[in-house]
Amino acid sequence: MIEIIPVESPTIEDLKILRTLTEMGLAEIKAAAAHQTAIRQIRIFEGDWQSERQVLAKVYHQNRSEQPVPWRVRERDEFGEEEFLSPDGLKSRLEYWRSLELETQRNVDLESGLIATPEEFEPHDEDWF
């Protein structure tokens, strides 16, 4: 799971930016910042993955920009282990998840007879990050 954690003392401008990543109200975002809890949790390949992966791409691209962002990205596994990800670390995860999507698409196409060999595979969608 990927979690978006706000900076500890967000400014008004920070709050405006953070508000674009969550449906939480400003008071909830401030409380999350004070307690360093997530304002958004994204479960990989679960729920509305099509939309959630777009949020991850947005977070990644904003992290890579010249401007500092008012959040940190934390990955938490099923055992409770957690790691804060650098922009490069997030990029690596995004590349891995995209490769899994493409592998799954290819395997489904092969199994259903849409293609005869893996070399015939063409992605079903555009790269999203």
Side-chain angles (χ1 to χ4, degrees):
M1 170 181 4
I2 296 295
E3 298 177 321
I4 309 300
I5 312 296
V7 295
E8 287 187 47
S9 300
T11 65
I12 296 297
E13 288 303 313
D14 292 341
L15 291 170
K16 288 179 186 177
I17 294 168
L18 291 166
R19 185 73 178 89
T20 67
L21 299 174
T22 184
E23 294 180 4
M24 290 181 166
L26 295 178
E28 292 172 297
I29 295 171
K30 286 180 183 180
H35 296 101
Q36 289 296 278
T37 57
I39 60 167
R40 186 165 195 148
Q41 296 179 330
I42 299 173
R43 296 186 186 285
I44 308 308
F45 303 124
E46 293 183 20
D48 186 7
W49 176 242
Q50 299 299 317
S51 296
E52 294 290 59
R53 68 186 192 175
Q54 296 301 323
V55 172
L56 286 173
K58 176 182 175 180
V59 165
Y60 166 70
H61 289 294
Q62 288 180 342
N63 267 356
R64 297 293 292 186
S65 74
E66 298 292 318
Q67 304 297 322
V69 293
W71 67 76
R72 296 186 299 158
V73 177
R74 179 170 63 197
E75 183 177 36
R76 184 183 301 242
D77 68 16
E78 63 272 9
F79 305 109
E81 297 289 321
E82 56 186 51
E83 173 187 358
F84 283 97
L85 300 175
S86 67
D88 288 337
L90 180 57
K91 179 182 181 186
S92 174
R93 301 307 195 280
L94 294 174
E95 288 172 340
Y96 174 69
W97 296 324
R98 180 61 179 160
S99 74
L100 291 178
E101 285 180 336
L102 294 174
E103 180 181 338
T104 301
Q105 290 176 12
R106 185 188 69 236
N107 290 343
V108 168
D109 285 0
L110 282 166
E111 290 171 6
S112 64
L114 295 173
I115 59 175
T117 65
E119 293 75 29
E120 295 175 31
F121 172 70
E122 292 186 23
H124 300 184
D125 56 0
E126 297 290 323
D127 281 336
W128 44 268
F129 80 96

